[in-house]
Amino acid sequence: MARRPLPRILSSSSASITRSREIARTAADSATDVLHPLITVVRGLRRLAAAGRRAWAATPKDRRGPAVFLAAALVLVVALIPYGPLLVLITVMAAAAWKGRQHTPAPGPGEAEKDRLRAVYEALVPHFSVAEDPDPLFTHGGEWDKAFPEYAFDDGRLVRLLVRYPAYFADGDASSRARVEQLLHAKSGRGREYHFAWDEEGNQLLMTVLPALSTAIAAQRFVTAPGETVLGFTDAGAVQRTVPVTEGDRTYNAPPVIWRTGPRSTEPHLLAVGHPGSGTTSLLRSIALQALQYGDVVIVEGSGTGEYACLTGRDGVLAVECSVAGALASLEWAAHETERRLIAANRARQAGHPAPEDTKRPLWILLDRPSVFGHLAAADGRPDPQQLLQVPLRHGRAANVTVVVAEQFDTVEALSETVRSHTRARVVLGPSAPGQVESVLGEPPHTTPTRDAPPGRGYARLGAGPVMRLQVPATPDPYDDATSEAHRQAVTDLLPERLDMPEARSGEQPRIQPPAQEPEPVSAEG
């Protein structure tokens, strides 16, 4: 069937309509180009007015009167200045033009980034959806841009992701949160540390990639007060204090993890747990170098590898013991010394005098792997050296006695109940599972531990505080051949002077002898 041509009237009218639309569009574009500065200024004035209304609403009512008086005074001064109103008008127009400019929108995600976000969205569907939800936010084949309002990529990998989840999700359950965190960690890429911030009130989860902590900070004199010890360094937002550190040829401020000891400390003793080669011995060596600046140190080494040989015979180092007999003698002396300090301070307090000076000098007891001595002592028919730690652990805070214990994960069960209950400051070093970290610190970390962690990398928790990432300053054994010259020199510069003692010259270790007489007990009546 042949197609009939349109009537002449209709064809001519449609052509005129099309021509009229083109003329109107051209006129509108020309008017927009001509009036673009005016449109920009009007848009800027509207934004400035909105900002002024918000500022006025945020101003307290008791300050609105003085604000109005100040504004009126400024208007009067401007009106009296020659060309004042003209200058104000020019300034306002310039500010409106700057405020009303069009912002270039950020480029959207590419196809590969969209596929990655879609994969993360599909993986979260079983966790954030139920069959009874009439309008589910997470559904297979749904819109992922509604669930992910914010995201950022770096070289095609997620570095920031904000997840909106439904209100019925059990975000208060630790296991449910751990499953979601593990899923996001797997889908976003392994080998990096992710931080998860849960907003239970807003039903949002923010995942960010944490930068790696610096491993180039070596042992040095930190700017701290007496009774403060730098365990290591953490993220900038985790603490509210910084200390100057020297890294190579530059000096900058780094956020430290400060552990406070002494009579007013709530965490007077510390427990460090890790795997072999995780850096617990370096942590004890760093603590010893800082403690020798203000106090005395007794070191009991259970590994027997001579990691603390550089401290033998130094000023302030009372003993470095590696045998069962020496460990028992040193810990027995420490227990008697704690009792003596308590009795002396008690007598001075009852007499109305200040505490003696010999009771104010801090005494540090550092034990590296004491469980080894427990096995050797049991085989030799001797008591466990950990039994001698009851007095320093229970009464050490009042006597300025601090106990630091380092143990490995495979033998942490051999620690006595007294050691585990009185060491409220905890440190976990080395690659470990979240369950292992929680078993030591009492709370799981808010980040994902990496498999390949450098020595000294881990987590720290002081009492009931939050779990923080930690990087211990590099404090290697200066007598180790594998130590770099820079780190060896850094540790050597911090060592105290060597005492000119016959034992030190002959190569024998100075041995602490327990007091010959027991201290007299003090009755309740004084």
Side-chain angles (χ1 to χ4, degrees):
M1 183 176 182
R3 181 177 297 176
R4 296 180 180 180
L6 292 174
R8 186 177 184 85
I9 298 176
L10 296 179
S11 60
S12 60
S13 62
S14 61
S16 62
I17 291 174
T18 303
R19 193 180 307 107
S20 301
R21 288 178 179 176
E22 292 179 355
I23 293 174
R25 188 180 298 109
T26 303
D29 294 340
S30 301
T32 302
D33 295 338
V34 173
L35 300 177
H36 179 71
L38 181 60
I39 295 174
T40 301
V41 171
V42 171
R43 187 189 303 116
L45 290 174
R46 186 172 62 253
R47 293 178 180 177
L48 290 176
R53 286 195 301 269
R54 289 194 299 268
W56 178 259
T59 303
K61 293 183 179 180
D62 56 343
R63 297 183 180 179
R64 292 183 178 180
V68 173
F69 177 76
L70 180 60
L74 289 177
V75 170
L76 180 61
V77 170
V78 169
L80 295 178
I81 295 177
Y83 305 101
L86 180 60
L87 294 177
V88 170
L89 179 63
I90 295 174
T91 303
V92 171
M93 291 296 104
W98 176 261
K99 193 71 175 178
R101 70 190 189 282
Q102 291 286 354
H103 298 280
T104 304
E111 292 299 328
E113 297 173 350
K114 290 182 179 179
D115 294 340
R116 184 176 290 273
L117 291 173
R118 191 176 296 108
V120 174
Y121 175 83
E122 294 290 339
L124 291 174
V125 169
H127 300 276
F128 291 148
S129 64
V130 293
E132 296 81 6
D133 191 354
D135 186 16
L137 181 62
F138 285 82
T139 179
H140 292 290
E143 300 179 0
W144 57 265
D145 53 349
K146 295 182 179 179
F148 304 150
E150 296 180 11
Y151 49 84
F153 288 86
D154 185 13
D155 294 335
R157 304 182 68 184
L158 273 171
V159 295
R160 178 184 174 88
L161 179 64
L162 181 61
V163 181
R164 295 177 56 242
Y165 57 86
Y168 53 77
F169 174 72
D171 50 9
D173 185 14
S175 59
S176 301
R177 295 169 59 162
R179 286 192 294 268
V180 173
E181 293 176 1
Q182 184 179 5
L183 175 63
L184 291 175
H185 179 208
K187 292 297 182 180
S188 301
R190 300 184 183 272
R192 298 182 297 176
E193 292 188 68
Y194 295 88
H195 180 266
F196 298 95
W198 290 84
D199 182 10
E200 291 86 354
E201 296 181 0
N203 299 323
Q204 293 182 348
L205 168 62
L206 179 61
M207 182 192 71
T208 54
V209 176
L210 295 175
L213 298 177
S214 177
T215 59
I217 301 178
Q220 53 193 280
R221 289 295 180 202
F222 302 111
V223 181
T224 56
E228 294 182 346
T229 304
V230 176
L231 299 179
F233 297 91
T234 183
D235 300 303
V239 294
Q240 301 179 354
R241 176 179 173 181
T242 59
V243 295
V245 297
T246 301
E247 181 179 334
D249 296 335
R250 68 189 186 102
T251 301
Y252 61 96
N253 293 331
V257 178
I258 299 293
W259 174 40
R260 294 175 176 85
T261 57
R264 300 185 181 276
S265 173
T266 57
E267 302 87 21
H269 310 295
L270 182 138
L271 173 62
V273 183
H275 294 285
S278 59
T280 54
T281 302
S282 297
L283 174 62
L284 261 66
R285 197 181 293 112
S286 175
I287 293 175
L289 292 177
Q290 298 180 61
L292 288 173
Q293 189 176 2
Y294 302 105
D296 300 326
V297 175
V298 175
I299 301 175
V300 177
E301 181 187 1
S303 58
T305 56
E307 294 287 342
Y308 305 93
C310 60
L311 297 172
T312 303
R314 300 285 179 174
D315 185 17
V317 181
L318 303 182
V320 179
E321 299 293 348
C322 302
S323 61
V324 178
L328 289 173
S330 299
L331 295 181
E332 184 179 359
W333 176 88
H336 287 293
E337 175 66 13
T338 304
E339 295 176 353
R340 184 196 68 80
R341 292 187 175 201
L342 289 175
I343 294 173
N346 188 19
R347 288 176 176 173
R349 192 179 303 110
Q350 292 178 1
H353 301 297
E357 293 297 329
D358 57 350
T359 63
K360 296 181 180 180
R361 185 171 176 81
L363 175 62
W364 293 72
I365 306 174
L366 309 182
L367 295 93
D368 194 351
R369 299 197 65 188
S371 60
V372 177
F373 289 120
H375 298 297
L376 297 177
D380 201 13
R382 298 183 178 184
D384 190 350
Q386 296 186 47
Q387 299 178 3
L388 300 173
L389 290 176
Q390 294 184 5
V391 175
L393 286 171
R394 292 177 179 176
H395 308 287
R397 180 174 62 177
N400 273 330
V401 178
T402 304
V403 180
V404 181
V405 180
E407 195 54 75
Q408 295 183 3
F409 271 110
D410 52 356
T411 56
V412 71
E413 297 297 335
L415 294 176
S416 63
E417 183 64 25
T418 305
V419 173
R420 284 183 288 182
S421 60
H422 286 82
T423 51
R424 290 176 46 83
R426 301 291 181 89
V427 173
V428 175
L429 297 181
S432 54
Q436 292 178 323
V437 178
E438 184 178 4
S439 64
V440 177
L441 303 182
E443 183 178 331
H446 297 288
T447 62
T448 54
T450 58
R451 295 181 179 179
D452 301 328
R457 176 71 57 81
Y459 299 94
R461 189 187 186 195
L462 305 179
V467 179
M468 299 176 290
R469 289 203 304 166
L470 178 70
Q471 177 61 51
V472 178
T475 316
D477 183 9
Y479 296 161
D480 190 1
D481 296 337
T483 303
S484 63
E485 185 61 30
H487 289 171
R488 179 185 292 108
Q489 188 63 35
V491 175
T492 304
D493 294 341
L494 298 179
L495 291 175
E497 297 181 358
R498 187 178 295 275
L499 297 178
D500 190 10
M501 299 173 59
E503 295 86 350
R505 289 196 301 267
S506 61
E508 300 178 359
Q509 296 183 174
R511 181 68 54 82
I512 292 179
Q513 297 294 338
Q517 298 180 357
E518 297 289 339
E520 299 178 1
V522 179
S523 62
E525 293 82 2

